[in-house]
C-alpha cells in the first residue's frame, strides 16, 4: 500500500500550494471582494446568479455532510457567490423548497443556476429537475449540464485510487497487464446515462493505461452489468496475470450504492468523489458555462391586485 502523503488530508487536498498559486488565489478573492464593496464602504448586492447545488439525497447521513462540505469549499473558492443546496428527494432542503425560497425573497430579480451533482444524463436531469424549476415560474433560472463525463472526474478518480493503494507512478507494460479497474456507477433506465458512464470509463482508462470496465450498483436494462459481473469478466484475464482489480466508486456521496460496490471489491476500493478539489473546480466550470448561456423564456405567474 502506498504510504499516505503527509501534505494531504483524507479528501486529497494538498495543504501546501505553490507560492504563485496561493498568491493568485488571494489576489482573485480580494478582487472579487473589492468589486462587491461600493466607494462608501457598503456592500453591493452580488450580481451573479445564485448557484443551486442539486443533490440526489440519501438516507445515509454522511451524504448530507458530504454535499454540505462541497458547498462550503465552493463558497471558499468564489467568495461572495450565493451557494444554496436542494435535494431531489429524501433530504431537506428539497429542491422545490430551495427554489420557492429564492423566488419569495427576491421576487422581482431572482436569478439562479442549478448545477446537478449527478455524473451522467438520466431522468433526474431530464425530467425531475426541470419539473421542479417549472413549479417556480417567478425564478429566472437555467440548468447546467451534469458533472460527467469530464476529465476532471478522471483526475479525481485517479487521486482516490492512489490514496487507496494504487501505484503512485506511471505503470510499466508489465504492471499494466496486472491491473484493472471496475468503475462502479449508480445505474439508470436512460441509455444516455450508460453512454456517459462508458465515456467516463474511457477517460479513466486513458489516464491509467489499464482496462476500466463500467458497472452498476442498481442494474437496469440500459445499464445491465453489475459490479460482481464486471469483476468476474476481469477475473477471466487472471491467467494472463491480471490480479490487481480495483473498484472505483463513480458516485458523488456515500450511501447504499457506494457500500454495495465497496463490499464487492477483491482488492482496493475508493470512497465516493465527495468534496474532492477537482469536483469543486468542475461544479464552478458547469456554473460558468451555464451563466454564458441565455436562459430560455419561461412564463411568470401573475398575481391579482
Amino acid at each position: 500500500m502506498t504510504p499516505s502523503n503527509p501534505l494531504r488530508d483524507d479528501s486529497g487536498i494538498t495543504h501546501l500550494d505553490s507560492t504563485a498559486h496561493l498568491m493568485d488565489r488571494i489576489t482573485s478573492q480580494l478582487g472579487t471582494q473589492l468589486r462587491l464593496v461600493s466607494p462608501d464602504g457598503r456592500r453591493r448586492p452580488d450580481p451573479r446568479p445564485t448557484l443551486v447545488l442539486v443533490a440526489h439525497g440519501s438516507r445515509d447521513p454522511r451524504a448530507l455532510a458530504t454535499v454540505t462540505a462541497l458547498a462550503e469549499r465552493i463558497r471558499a473558492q468564489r467568495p461572495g457567490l450565493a451557494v444554496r443546496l436542494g435535494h431531489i428527494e429524501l433530504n431537506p432542503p428539497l429542491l422545490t423548497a430551495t427554489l420557492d425560497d429564492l423566488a419569495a425573497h427576491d421576487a422581482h430579480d431572482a436569478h439562479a443556476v442549478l448545477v446537478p451533482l449527478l455524473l451522467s444524463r438520466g431522468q433526474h436531469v431530464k425530467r425531475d429537475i426541470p419539473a421542479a424549476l417549472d413549479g417556480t415560474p417567478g425564478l429566472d433560472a437555467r440548468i447546467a449540464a451534469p458533472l460527467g463525463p469530464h476529465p476532471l472526474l478522471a483526475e479525481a478518480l485517479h487521486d482516490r485510487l492512489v490514496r487507496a493503494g494504487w501505484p503512485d507512478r506511471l505503470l510499466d507494460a508489465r504492471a499494466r497487464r496486472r491491473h484493472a479497474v471496475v468503475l462502479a456507477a449508480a445505474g439508470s433506465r436512460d441509455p444516455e446515462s450508460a453512454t456517459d458512464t462508458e465515456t467516463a470509463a474511457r477517460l479513466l482508462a486513458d489516464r491509467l493505461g489499464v482496462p476500466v470496465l463500467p458497472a452498476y450498483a442498481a442494474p437496469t436494462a440500459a445499464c445491465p452489468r453489475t459490479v460482481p459481473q464486471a469483476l468476474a469478466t476481469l477475473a477471466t484475464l487472471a491467467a494472463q496475470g491480471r490480479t490487481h482489480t480495483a473498484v472505483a466508486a463513480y458516485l458523488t456521496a456515500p450511501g447504499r450504492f457506494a457500500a454495495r460496490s465497496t463490499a464487492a471489491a477483491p482488492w482496493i476500493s475508493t470512497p465516493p468523489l465527495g468534496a474532492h478539489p477537482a469536483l469543486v473546480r468542475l461544479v464552478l466550470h458547469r456554473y460558468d458555462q451555464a451563466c454564458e448561456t441565455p436562459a430560455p423564456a419561461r412564463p411568470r405567474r401573475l398575481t391579482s391586485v
Side-chain angles (χ1 to χ4, degrees), residues 178-203:
R178 294 199 303 267
H179 290 76
V181 176
V182 171
L183 188 66
S188 170
R189 294 188 297 272
D190 192 319
E192 288 187 320
S193 177
T195 298
D196 289 346
T197 305
E198 289 163 4
T199 300
R202 286 195 297 271
L203 289 170

Side-chain angles (χ1 to χ4, degrees), residues 13-301:
I13 293 179
T14 302
H15 296 300
L16 295 180
D17 294 323
S18 69
T19 301
H21 177 71
L22 184 59
M23 291 303 297
D24 286 345
R25 189 163 60 184
I26 292 173
T27 301
S28 174
Q29 293 180 1
L30 180 60
T32 299
Q33 293 292 341
L34 290 175
R35 287 194 298 272
L36 297 176
V37 177
S38 62
D40 61 3
R42 291 182 299 179
R43 189 174 182 84
R44 295 190 181 103
D46 194 328
R48 294 171 294 184
T50 297
L51 192 169
V52 179
L53 299 172
V54 184
H56 183 278
S58 171
R59 292 183 177 86
D60 190 322
R62 295 173 299 170
L64 178 57
T66 297
V67 295
T68 301
L70 178 61
E72 289 301 321
R73 291 183 177 181
I74 291 168
R75 292 185 183 103
Q77 190 70 20
R78 290 278 178 94
L81 176 64
V83 179
R84 303 284 294 271
L85 178 63
H87 293 88
I88 296 171
E89 59 182 1
L90 299 175
N91 291 119
L94 291 175
L95 177 58
T96 50
T98 297
L99 297 180
D100 286 342
D101 187 61
L102 281 172
H105 282 79
D106 198 359
H108 298 293
D109 192 24
H111 302 275
V113 171
L114 281 58
V115 179
L117 299 181
L118 302 169
L119 302 177
S120 64
R121 293 167 290 177
Q123 293 304 306
H124 291 317
V125 171
K126 296 179 180 180
R127 183 188 63 195
D128 297 337
I129 298 175
L133 189 54
D134 287 342
T136 317
L139 184 64
D140 179 10
R142 65 206 73 185
I143 302 171
L147 298 184
H150 195 277
L152 281 171
L153 294 174
E155 176 184 326
L157 288 163
H158 186 187
D159 184 62
R160 289 284 192 244
L161 282 165
V162 168
R163 293 188 62 77
W166 189 271
D168 188 11
R169 64 182 187 280
L170 184 64
L171 299 180
D172 58 26
R174 182 178 178 183
R176 287 197 299 271
R177 287 193 295 269
R178 294 199 303 267
H179 290 76
V181 176
V182 171
L183 188 66
S188 170
R189 294 188 297 272
D190 192 319
E192 288 187 320
S193 177
T195 298
D196 289 346
T197 305
E198 289 163 4
T199 300
R202 286 195 297 271
L203 289 170
L204 184 59
D206 290 343
R207 188 178 181 95
L208 299 177
V210 304
V212 176
L213 194 60
Y216 304 94
T220 66
C223 303
R225 185 189 298 115
T226 66
V227 173
Q229 286 171 341
L231 290 168
T233 298
L234 291 170
T236 62
L237 302 175
Q240 303 173 26
R242 199 174 301 281
T243 55
H244 290 71
T245 299
V247 174
Y250 193 53
L251 302 160
T252 55
R256 60 189 178 93
F257 290 163
R260 188 180 301 170
S261 300
T262 297
W267 181 42
I268 62 172
S269 62
T270 70
L273 296 167
H276 191 279
L279 249 70
V280 174
R281 290 154 56 198
L282 181 53
V283 167
L284 290 171
H285 172 65
R286 294 300 194 209
Y287 171 83
D288 291 338
Q289 282 183 319
C291 285
E292 295 167 1
T293 304
R298 299 173 62 240
R300 293 183 177 271
R301 181 178 296 142

